[in-house]
Amino acid sequence: MTEAILVDRLQKSYGSRAVLKDLTFRVYRGEIFALLGVNGAGKTTALECIEGLRTYDSGRISIHGRMGIQLQSASLPEHMKAMEAVDLFAKWNKASPGKAMLDALGIGEFAKKQYDQLSTGQKRRLHLALALIRDPDILILDEPTAGLDVEGRISLHKQIRQLKKEGKTILLASHDMAEVEDLCDRIAILTEGSIAFMGTVEELNDRVGKHYSISIRTNAGNERLESEDIGETMLALLMEYKEKGIKITDIQIDRGSLEQHFMKIAKGE
């Protein structure tokens, strides 16, 4: 597979505190890759180094293709109209904003609105349009759906999937594990500046194990427990309740979520 981004033995310190420690990973062309980590893990610093917004102490970053960046927030003037921002970015990049791209993101709906009048969803769509003006090969999305309602998230996810179909490489940072599970081909979890896990969501589930949460309602009360072996646990419980004459009225079984698995890895458990 051809790599779009290579981060090789990246190191970065703030004073005596090492934030990135020999950080190494690859993002391949055409995939959606998530960089995850709890606060303080080094995720933001790693992204800023890749984006060219921050210098690093040692190591190497190779970018193969044009890059577009959608930051969490923008410093656009409050009274600048949405289409004025598009025209300004197009002039900076010596490019023409594609009508199809603007139509797909619905920029025309609020083209004449001032930036401070836009909803959170409209701002996110505008930020994405600005990142796409150069028709980049690689797109970095930092918390792209933060603050959006359900409809806004669904709409933006649709656009991200379409960008992948068009061959774009997407590096995504998100705290929304449902979003990560829904969109991403591979994930990397940072812990204290190093990769603690890298692979698919399925590989993460296999590594952490099948963690089940069992809620049982009976005529004697409610019970909640956790298990790694659902078959053995349920068989033992059913036999115990039968021997004690306890009647079961409801059972709910939930497999551990991606968020639970992520936290196990991120906390070094």
Side-chain angles (χ1 to χ4, degrees), residues 49-83:
C49 289
I50 294 169
E51 294 162 348
L53 300 177
R54 189 173 297 278
T55 59
Y56 46 94
D57 301 330
S58 63
R60 180 167 62 103
I61 298 175
S62 297
I63 307 293
H64 303 282
R66 296 185 305 277
M67 185 165 62
I69 303 169
Q70 180 197 25
L71 300 175
Q72 286 192 50
S73 59
S75 299
L76 294 174
E78 291 185 354
H79 300 300
M80 176 177 279
K81 295 178 181 179
M83 201 60 204

PDB file of all heavy atoms in Angstrom, residues 49-83:
ATOM      1  N   CYS A  49       2.262  19.156  14.460  1.00  0.00           N
ATOM      2  CA  CYS A  49       3.546  18.914  13.788  1.00  0.00           C
ATOM      3  C   CYS A  49       3.316  18.476  12.340  1.00  0.00           C
ATOM      4  O   CYS A  49       4.002  18.925  11.423  1.00  0.00           O
ATOM      5  CB  CYS A  49       4.349  17.852  14.544  1.00  0.00           C
ATOM      6  SG  CYS A  49       5.013  18.400  16.136  1.00  0.00           S
ATOM      7  N   ILE A  50       2.345  17.596  12.138  1.00  0.00           N
ATOM      8  CA  ILE A  50       2.031  17.130  10.786  1.00  0.00           C
ATOM      9  C   ILE A  50       1.519  18.277   9.926  1.00  0.00           C
ATOM     10  O   ILE A  50       1.875  18.404   8.749  1.00  0.00           O
ATOM     11  CB  ILE A  50       0.982  15.991  10.847  1.00  0.00           C
ATOM     12  CG1 ILE A  50       1.582  14.755  11.541  1.00  0.00           C
ATOM     13  CG2 ILE A  50       0.496  15.623   9.441  1.00  0.00           C
ATOM     14  CD1 ILE A  50       0.556  13.699  11.876  1.00  0.00           C
ATOM     15  N   GLU A  51       0.713  19.139  10.522  1.00  0.00           N
ATOM     16  CA  GLU A  51       0.128  20.264   9.790  1.00  0.00           C
ATOM     17  C   GLU A  51       1.146  21.367   9.506  1.00  0.00           C
ATOM     18  O   GLU A  51       0.865  22.268   8.701  1.00  0.00           O
ATOM     19  CB  GLU A  51      -1.037  20.842  10.595  1.00  0.00           C
ATOM     20  CG  GLU A  51      -2.220  19.891  10.727  1.00  0.00           C
ATOM     21  CD  GLU A  51      -3.167  20.264  11.842  1.00  0.00           C
ATOM     22  OE1 GLU A  51      -2.812  21.129  12.674  1.00  0.00           O
ATOM     23  OE2 GLU A  51      -4.272  19.699  11.911  1.00  0.00           O
ATOM     24  N   GLY A  52       2.302  21.304  10.159  1.00  0.00           N
ATOM     25  CA  GLY A  52       3.305  22.340   9.980  1.00  0.00           C
ATOM     26  C   GLY A  52       3.097  23.542  10.872  1.00  0.00           C
ATOM     27  O   GLY A  52       3.729  24.581  10.689  1.00  0.00           O
ATOM     28  N   LEU A  53       2.211  23.410  11.870  1.00  0.00           N
ATOM     29  CA  LEU A  53       1.922  24.517  12.771  1.00  0.00           C
ATOM     30  C   LEU A  53       2.860  24.541  13.976  1.00  0.00           C
ATOM     31  O   LEU A  53       2.861  25.518  14.732  1.00  0.00           O
ATOM     32  CB  LEU A  53       0.465  24.428  13.260  1.00  0.00           C
ATOM     33  CG  LEU A  53      -0.613  24.475  12.175  1.00  0.00           C
ATOM     34  CD1 LEU A  53      -1.986  24.303  12.792  1.00  0.00           C
ATOM     35  CD2 LEU A  53      -0.535  25.787  11.402  1.00  0.00           C
ATOM     36  N   ARG A  54       3.607  23.457  14.173  1.00  0.00           N
ATOM     37  CA  ARG A  54       4.504  23.384  15.319  1.00  0.00           C
ATOM     38  C   ARG A  54       5.793  22.671  14.906  1.00  0.00           C
ATOM     39  O   ARG A  54       5.757  21.703  14.142  1.00  0.00           O
ATOM     40  CB  ARG A  54       3.829  22.634  16.476  1.00  0.00           C
ATOM     41  CG  ARG A  54       4.598  22.696  17.779  1.00  0.00           C
ATOM     42  CD  ARG A  54       3.777  22.080  18.903  1.00  0.00           C
ATOM     43  NE  ARG A  54       2.546  22.821  19.144  1.00  0.00           N
ATOM     44  CZ  ARG A  54       2.457  23.928  19.874  1.00  0.00           C
ATOM     45  NH1 ARG A  54       3.557  24.446  20.418  1.00  0.00           N
ATOM     46  NH2 ARG A  54       1.305  24.530  20.065  1.00  0.00           N
ATOM     47  N   THR A  55       6.919  23.134  15.399  1.00  0.00           N
ATOM     48  CA  THR A  55       8.194  22.471  15.127  1.00  0.00           C
ATOM     49  C   THR A  55       8.356  21.275  16.061  1.00  0.00           C
ATOM     50  O   THR A  55       7.738  21.218  17.126  1.00  0.00           O
ATOM     51  CB  THR A  55       9.371  23.437  15.324  1.00  0.00           C
ATOM     52  OG1 THR A  55       9.359  23.911  16.679  1.00  0.00           O
ATOM     53  CG2 THR A  55       9.272  24.615  14.369  1.00  0.00           C
ATOM     54  N   TYR A  56       9.188  20.332  15.657  1.00  0.00           N
ATOM     55  CA  TYR A  56       9.466  19.165  16.514  1.00  0.00           C
ATOM     56  C   TYR A  56      10.972  19.042  16.694  1.00  0.00           C
ATOM     57  O   TYR A  56      11.763  19.630  15.950  1.00  0.00           O
ATOM     58  CB  TYR A  56       8.860  17.890  15.915  1.00  0.00           C
ATOM     59  CG  TYR A  56       9.095  17.680  14.448  1.00  0.00           C
ATOM     60  CD1 TYR A  56      10.158  16.920  13.989  1.00  0.00           C
ATOM     61  CD2 TYR A  56       8.226  18.246  13.493  1.00  0.00           C
ATOM     62  CE1 TYR A  56      10.361  16.719  12.624  1.00  0.00           C
ATOM     63  CE2 TYR A  56       8.420  18.051  12.141  1.00  0.00           C
ATOM     64  CZ  TYR A  56       9.496  17.292  11.713  1.00  0.00           C
ATOM     65  OH  TYR A  56       9.699  17.095  10.367  1.00  0.00           O
ATOM     66  N   ASP A  57      11.369  18.294  17.706  1.00  0.00           N
ATOM     67  CA  ASP A  57      12.784  18.228  18.097  1.00  0.00           C
ATOM     68  C   ASP A  57      13.597  17.317  17.187  1.00  0.00           C
ATOM     69  O   ASP A  57      14.717  17.646  16.801  1.00  0.00           O
ATOM     70  CB  ASP A  57      12.910  17.760  19.553  1.00  0.00           C
ATOM     71  CG  ASP A  57      12.185  18.694  20.512  1.00  0.00           C
ATOM     72  OD1 ASP A  57      12.092  19.896  20.209  1.00  0.00           O
ATOM     73  OD2 ASP A  57      11.691  18.212  21.559  1.00  0.00           O
ATOM     74  N   SER A  58      13.045  16.164  16.860  1.00  0.00           N
ATOM     75  CA  SER A  58      13.749  15.224  15.988  1.00  0.00           C
ATOM     76  C   SER A  58      12.749  14.259  15.371  1.00  0.00           C
ATOM     77  O   SER A  58      11.586  14.200  15.768  1.00  0.00           O
ATOM     78  CB  SER A  58      14.823  14.447  16.769  1.00  0.00           C
ATOM     79  OG  SER A  58      14.229  13.650  17.788  1.00  0.00           O
ATOM     80  N   GLY A  59      13.230  13.497  14.395  1.00  0.00           N
ATOM     81  CA  GLY A  59      12.348  12.586  13.674  1.00  0.00           C
ATOM     82  C   GLY A  59      12.069  13.115  12.278  1.00  0.00           C
ATOM     83  O   GLY A  59      12.713  14.058  11.803  1.00  0.00           O
ATOM     84  N   ARG A  60      11.089  12.514  11.638  1.00  0.00           N
ATOM     85  CA  ARG A  60      10.803  12.871  10.238  1.00  0.00           C
ATOM     86  C   ARG A  60       9.315  12.765   9.952  1.00  0.00           C
ATOM     87  O   ARG A  60       8.636  11.848  10.418  1.00  0.00           O
ATOM     88  CB  ARG A  60      11.578  11.915   9.318  1.00  0.00           C
ATOM     89  CG  ARG A  60      11.377  12.152   7.829  1.00  0.00           C
ATOM     90  CD  ARG A  60      12.419  11.369   7.026  1.00  0.00           C
ATOM     91  NE  ARG A  60      12.291   9.936   7.227  1.00  0.00           N
ATOM     92  CZ  ARG A  60      11.728   9.111   6.336  1.00  0.00           C
ATOM     93  NH1 ARG A  60      11.254   9.585   5.199  1.00  0.00           N
ATOM     94  NH2 ARG A  60      11.672   7.814   6.569  1.00  0.00           N
ATOM     95  N   ILE A  61       8.809  13.714   9.180  1.00  0.00           N
ATOM     96  CA  ILE A  61       7.429  13.681   8.684  1.00  0.00           C
ATOM     97  C   ILE A  61       7.474  13.834   7.172  1.00  0.00           C
ATOM     98  O   ILE A  61       8.057  14.785   6.666  1.00  0.00           O
ATOM     99  CB  ILE A  61       6.573  14.801   9.298  1.00  0.00           C
ATOM    100  CG1 ILE A  61       6.470  14.640  10.812  1.00  0.00           C
ATOM    101  CG2 ILE A  61       5.173  14.813   8.678  1.00  0.00           C
ATOM    102  CD1 ILE A  61       5.742  15.784  11.494  1.00  0.00           C
ATOM    103  N   SER A  62       6.858  12.892   6.460  1.00  0.00           N
ATOM    104  CA  SER A  62       6.785  12.959   4.999  1.00  0.00           C
ATOM    105  C   SER A  62       5.322  13.015   4.581  1.00  0.00           C
ATOM    106  O   SER A  62       4.520  12.163   4.994  1.00  0.00           O
ATOM    107  CB  SER A  62       7.458  11.737   4.363  1.00  0.00           C
ATOM    108  OG  SER A  62       8.833  11.701   4.681  1.00  0.00           O
ATOM    109  N   ILE A  63       4.987  14.020   3.785  1.00  0.00           N
ATOM    110  CA  ILE A  63       3.628  14.199   3.272  1.00  0.00           C
ATOM    111  C   ILE A  63       3.679  14.006   1.766  1.00  0.00           C
ATOM    112  O   ILE A  63       4.399  14.729   1.076  1.00  0.00           O
ATOM    113  CB  ILE A  63       3.072  15.593   3.608  1.00  0.00           C
ATOM    114  CG1 ILE A  63       3.189  15.892   5.103  1.00  0.00           C
ATOM    115  CG2 ILE A  63       1.641  15.730   3.108  1.00  0.00           C
ATOM    116  CD1 ILE A  63       2.310  15.025   5.968  1.00  0.00           C
ATOM    117  N   HIS A  64       2.918  13.050   1.251  1.00  0.00           N
ATOM    118  CA  HIS A  64       2.923  12.753  -0.179  1.00  0.00           C
ATOM    119  C   HIS A  64       1.609  13.229  -0.801  1.00  0.00           C
ATOM    120  O   HIS A  64       0.647  12.468  -0.917  1.00  0.00           O
ATOM    121  CB  HIS A  64       3.122  11.251  -0.399  1.00  0.00           C
ATOM    122  CG  HIS A  64       4.379  10.719   0.237  1.00  0.00           C
ATOM    123  ND1 HIS A  64       5.620  10.893  -0.315  1.00  0.00           N
ATOM    124  CD2 HIS A  64       4.560  10.041   1.401  1.00  0.00           C
ATOM    125  CE1 HIS A  64       6.522  10.330   0.460  1.00  0.00           C
ATOM    126  NE2 HIS A  64       5.917   9.809   1.515  1.00  0.00           N
ATOM    127  N   GLY A  65       1.587  14.504  -1.187  1.00  0.00           N
ATOM    128  CA  GLY A  65       0.391  15.063  -1.803  1.00  0.00           C
ATOM    129  C   GLY A  65       0.026  16.401  -1.187  1.00  0.00           C
ATOM    130  O   GLY A  65       0.610  16.845  -0.192  1.00  0.00           O
ATOM    131  N   ARG A  66      -0.953  17.053  -1.790  1.00  0.00           N
ATOM    132  CA  ARG A  66      -1.445  18.325  -1.267  1.00  0.00           C
ATOM    133  C   ARG A  66      -2.286  18.078  -0.020  1.00  0.00           C
ATOM    134  O   ARG A  66      -3.040  17.102   0.046  1.00  0.00           O
ATOM    135  CB  ARG A  66      -2.300  19.054  -2.316  1.00  0.00           C
ATOM    136  CG  ARG A  66      -1.545  19.473  -3.567  1.00  0.00           C
ATOM    137  CD  ARG A  66      -2.425  20.287  -4.511  1.00  0.00           C
ATOM    138  NE  ARG A  66      -3.645  19.578  -4.859  1.00  0.00           N
ATOM    139  CZ  ARG A  66      -3.719  18.661  -5.816  1.00  0.00           C
ATOM    140  NH1 ARG A  66      -2.653  18.351  -6.529  1.00  0.00           N
ATOM    141  NH2 ARG A  66      -4.860  18.064  -6.082  1.00  0.00           N
ATOM    142  N   MET A  67      -2.176  18.976   0.946  1.00  0.00           N
ATOM    143  CA  MET A  67      -2.856  18.778   2.222  1.00  0.00           C
ATOM    144  C   MET A  67      -3.845  19.908   2.492  1.00  0.00           C
ATOM    145  O   MET A  67      -3.542  21.085   2.282  1.00  0.00           O
ATOM    146  CB  MET A  67      -1.824  18.694   3.349  1.00  0.00           C
ATOM    147  CG  MET A  67      -2.405  18.372   4.716  1.00  0.00           C
ATOM    148  SD  MET A  67      -1.120  17.859   5.900  1.00  0.00           S
ATOM    149  CE  MET A  67      -0.111  19.354   5.951  1.00  0.00           C
ATOM    150  N   GLY A  68      -5.034  19.537   2.952  1.00  0.00           N
ATOM    151  CA  GLY A  68      -6.033  20.500   3.398  1.00  0.00           C
ATOM    152  C   GLY A  68      -6.325  20.243   4.862  1.00  0.00           C
ATOM    153  O   GLY A  68      -6.329  19.095   5.311  1.00  0.00           O
ATOM    154  N   ILE A  69      -6.561  21.317   5.628  1.00  0.00           N
ATOM    155  CA  ILE A  69      -6.716  21.189   7.080  1.00  0.00           C
ATOM    156  C   ILE A  69      -8.006  21.853   7.533  1.00  0.00           C
ATOM    157  O   ILE A  69      -8.274  23.011   7.212  1.00  0.00           O
ATOM    158  CB  ILE A  69      -5.526  21.841   7.820  1.00  0.00           C
ATOM    159  CG1 ILE A  69      -4.204  21.224   7.364  1.00  0.00           C
ATOM    160  CG2 ILE A  69      -5.690  21.698   9.319  1.00  0.00           C
ATOM    161  CD1 ILE A  69      -2.993  21.993   7.848  1.00  0.00           C
ATOM    162  N   GLN A  70      -8.794  21.087   8.296  1.00  0.00           N
ATOM    163  CA  GLN A  70      -9.969  21.655   8.959  1.00  0.00           C
ATOM    164  C   GLN A  70      -9.695  21.651  10.456  1.00  0.00           C
ATOM    165  O   GLN A  70      -9.662  20.601  11.093  1.00  0.00           O
ATOM    166  CB  GLN A  70     -11.239  20.839   8.668  1.00  0.00           C
ATOM    167  CG  GLN A  70     -12.473  21.413   9.357  1.00  0.00           C
ATOM    168  CD  GLN A  70     -13.620  20.421   9.434  1.00  0.00           C
ATOM    169  OE1 GLN A  70     -13.408  19.215   9.407  1.00  0.00           O
ATOM    170  NE2 GLN A  70     -14.832  20.923   9.558  1.00  0.00           N
ATOM    171  N   LEU A  71      -9.455  22.848  11.008  1.00  0.00           N
ATOM    172  CA  LEU A  71      -9.177  22.971  12.431  1.00  0.00           C
ATOM    173  C   LEU A  71     -10.483  22.953  13.231  1.00  0.00           C
ATOM    174  O   LEU A  71     -11.576  23.115  12.682  1.00  0.00           O
ATOM    175  CB  LEU A  71      -8.419  24.269  12.702  1.00  0.00           C
ATOM    176  CG  LEU A  71      -7.068  24.416  11.985  1.00  0.00           C
ATOM    177  CD1 LEU A  71      -6.480  25.798  12.253  1.00  0.00           C
ATOM    178  CD2 LEU A  71      -6.096  23.338  12.423  1.00  0.00           C
ATOM    179  N   GLN A  72     -10.354  22.770  14.571  1.00  0.00           N
ATOM    180  CA  GLN A  72     -11.541  22.774  15.420  1.00  0.00           C
ATOM    181  C   GLN A  72     -12.256  24.113  15.366  1.00  0.00           C
ATOM    182  O   GLN A  72     -13.478  24.189  15.420  1.00  0.00           O
ATOM    183  CB  GLN A  72     -11.146  22.465  16.869  1.00  0.00           C
ATOM    184  CG  GLN A  72     -10.797  21.015  17.132  1.00  0.00           C
ATOM    185  CD  GLN A  72     -10.700  20.745  18.612  1.00  0.00           C
ATOM    186  OE1 GLN A  72     -11.577  21.079  19.386  1.00  0.00           O
ATOM    187  NE2 GLN A  72      -9.605  20.111  19.007  1.00  0.00           N
ATOM    188  N   SER A  73     -11.476  25.188  15.302  1.00  0.00           N
ATOM    189  CA  SER A  73     -12.066  26.522  15.248  1.00  0.00           C
ATOM    190  C   SER A  73     -11.285  27.365  14.246  1.00  0.00           C
ATOM    191  O   SER A  73     -10.148  27.042  13.910  1.00  0.00           O
ATOM    192  CB  SER A  73     -12.038  27.181  16.629  1.00  0.00           C
ATOM    193  OG  SER A  73     -10.709  27.274  17.101  1.00  0.00           O
ATOM    194  N   ALA A  74     -11.911  28.423  13.781  1.00  0.00           N
ATOM    195  CA  ALA A  74     -11.274  29.296  12.799  1.00  0.00           C
ATOM    196  C   ALA A  74     -11.249  30.722  13.320  1.00  0.00           C
ATOM    197  O   ALA A  74     -12.078  31.110  14.146  1.00  0.00           O
ATOM    198  CB  ALA A  74     -12.026  29.241  11.474  1.00  0.00           C
ATOM    199  N   SER A  75     -10.273  31.498  12.842  1.00  0.00           N
ATOM    200  CA  SER A  75     -10.158  32.897  13.254  1.00  0.00           C
ATOM    201  C   SER A  75     -10.706  33.825  12.181  1.00  0.00           C
ATOM    202  O   SER A  75     -10.155  34.903  11.938  1.00  0.00           O
ATOM    203  CB  SER A  75      -8.681  33.224  13.538  1.00  0.00           C
ATOM    204  OG  SER A  75      -8.185  32.421  14.579  1.00  0.00           O
ATOM    205  N   LEU A  76     -11.776  33.417  11.549  1.00  0.00           N
ATOM    206  CA  LEU A  76     -12.385  34.265  10.528  1.00  0.00           C
ATOM    207  C   LEU A  76     -13.040  35.476  11.185  1.00  0.00           C
ATOM    208  O   LEU A  76     -13.633  35.369  12.260  1.00  0.00           O
ATOM    209  CB  LEU A  76     -13.435  33.476   9.743  1.00  0.00           C
ATOM    210  CG  LEU A  76     -12.927  32.317   8.879  1.00  0.00           C
ATOM    211  CD1 LEU A  76     -14.098  31.547   8.293  1.00  0.00           C
ATOM    212  CD2 LEU A  76     -12.029  32.837   7.758  1.00  0.00           C
ATOM    213  N   PRO A  77     -12.970  36.637  10.548  1.00  0.00           N
ATOM    214  CA  PRO A  77     -13.637  37.828  11.095  1.00  0.00           C
ATOM    215  C   PRO A  77     -15.140  37.584  11.223  1.00  0.00           C
ATOM    216  O   PRO A  77     -15.764  36.977  10.341  1.00  0.00           O
ATOM    217  CB  PRO A  77     -13.340  38.909  10.051  1.00  0.00           C
ATOM    218  CG  PRO A  77     -12.105  38.435   9.349  1.00  0.00           C
ATOM    219  CD  PRO A  77     -12.202  36.942   9.318  1.00  0.00           C
ATOM    220  N   GLU A  78     -15.713  38.050  12.309  1.00  0.00           N
ATOM    221  CA  GLU A  78     -17.135  37.799  12.583  1.00  0.00           C
ATOM    222  C   GLU A  78     -18.047  38.335  11.488  1.00  0.00           C
ATOM    223  O   GLU A  78     -19.104  37.759  11.208  1.00  0.00           O
ATOM    224  CB  GLU A  78     -17.519  38.415  13.924  1.00  0.00           C
ATOM    225  CG  GLU A  78     -16.894  37.728  15.127  1.00  0.00           C
ATOM    226  CD  GLU A  78     -17.389  38.296  16.436  1.00  0.00           C
ATOM    227  OE1 GLU A  78     -18.136  39.316  16.402  1.00  0.00           O
ATOM    228  OE2 GLU A  78     -17.053  37.737  17.487  1.00  0.00           O
ATOM    229  N   HIS A  79     -17.653  39.449  10.873  1.00  0.00           N
ATOM    230  CA  HIS A  79     -18.540  40.096   9.900  1.00  0.00           C
ATOM    231  C   HIS A  79     -18.213  39.704   8.453  1.00  0.00           C
ATOM    232  O   HIS A  79     -18.824  40.238   7.522  1.00  0.00           O
ATOM    233  CB  HIS A  79     -18.481  41.619  10.065  1.00  0.00           C
ATOM    234  CG  HIS A  79     -18.895  42.072  11.433  1.00  0.00           C
ATOM    235  ND1 HIS A  79     -20.150  41.810  11.948  1.00  0.00           N
ATOM    236  CD2 HIS A  79     -18.214  42.728  12.402  1.00  0.00           C
ATOM    237  CE1 HIS A  79     -20.233  42.308  13.165  1.00  0.00           C
ATOM    238  NE2 HIS A  79     -19.071  42.871  13.471  1.00  0.00           N
ATOM    239  N   MET A  80     -17.275  38.769   8.279  1.00  0.00           N
ATOM    240  CA  MET A  80     -16.999  38.285   6.934  1.00  0.00           C
ATOM    241  C   MET A  80     -18.102  37.314   6.511  1.00  0.00           C
ATOM    242  O   MET A  80     -18.497  36.434   7.274  1.00  0.00           O
ATOM    243  CB  MET A  80     -15.637  37.574   6.889  1.00  0.00           C
ATOM    244  CG  MET A  80     -15.317  36.942   5.539  1.00  0.00           C
ATOM    245  SD  MET A  80     -13.669  36.193   5.493  1.00  0.00           S
ATOM    246  CE  MET A  80     -12.660  37.651   5.205  1.00  0.00           C
ATOM    247  N   LYS A  81     -18.587  37.487   5.293  1.00  0.00           N
ATOM    248  CA  LYS A  81     -19.616  36.584   4.792  1.00  0.00           C
ATOM    249  C   LYS A  81     -18.983  35.261   4.368  1.00  0.00           C
ATOM    250  O   LYS A  81     -17.798  35.203   4.036  1.00  0.00           O
ATOM    251  CB  LYS A  81     -20.351  37.220   3.614  1.00  0.00           C
ATOM    252  CG  LYS A  81     -21.148  38.462   4.010  1.00  0.00           C
ATOM    253  CD  LYS A  81     -21.830  39.108   2.821  1.00  0.00           C
ATOM    254  CE  LYS A  81     -22.600  40.360   3.241  1.00  0.00           C
ATOM    255  NZ  LYS A  81     -23.239  41.012   2.079  1.00  0.00           N
ATOM    256  N   ALA A  82     -19.790  34.204   4.407  1.00  0.00           N
ATOM    257  CA  ALA A  82     -19.282  32.864   4.110  1.00  0.00           C
ATOM    258  C   ALA A  82     -18.627  32.803   2.732  1.00  0.00           C
ATOM    259  O   ALA A  82     -17.520  32.261   2.578  1.00  0.00           O
ATOM    260  CB  ALA A  82     -20.414  31.838   4.203  1.00  0.00           C
ATOM    261  N   MET A  83     -19.278  33.353   1.730  1.00  0.00           N
ATOM    262  CA  MET A  83     -18.721  33.285   0.377  1.00  0.00           C
ATOM    263  C   MET A  83     -17.500  34.172   0.233  1.00  0.00           C
ATOM    264  O   MET A  83     -16.603  33.876  -0.563  1.00  0.00           O
ATOM    265  CB  MET A  83     -19.779  33.677  -0.653  1.00  0.00           C
ATOM    266  CG  MET A  83     -19.473  33.157  -2.046  1.00  0.00           C
ATOM    267  SD  MET A  83     -19.373  31.335  -2.075  1.00  0.00           S
ATOM    268  CE  MET A  83     -18.330  31.108  -3.524  1.00  0.00           C
TER     269      MET A  83
END
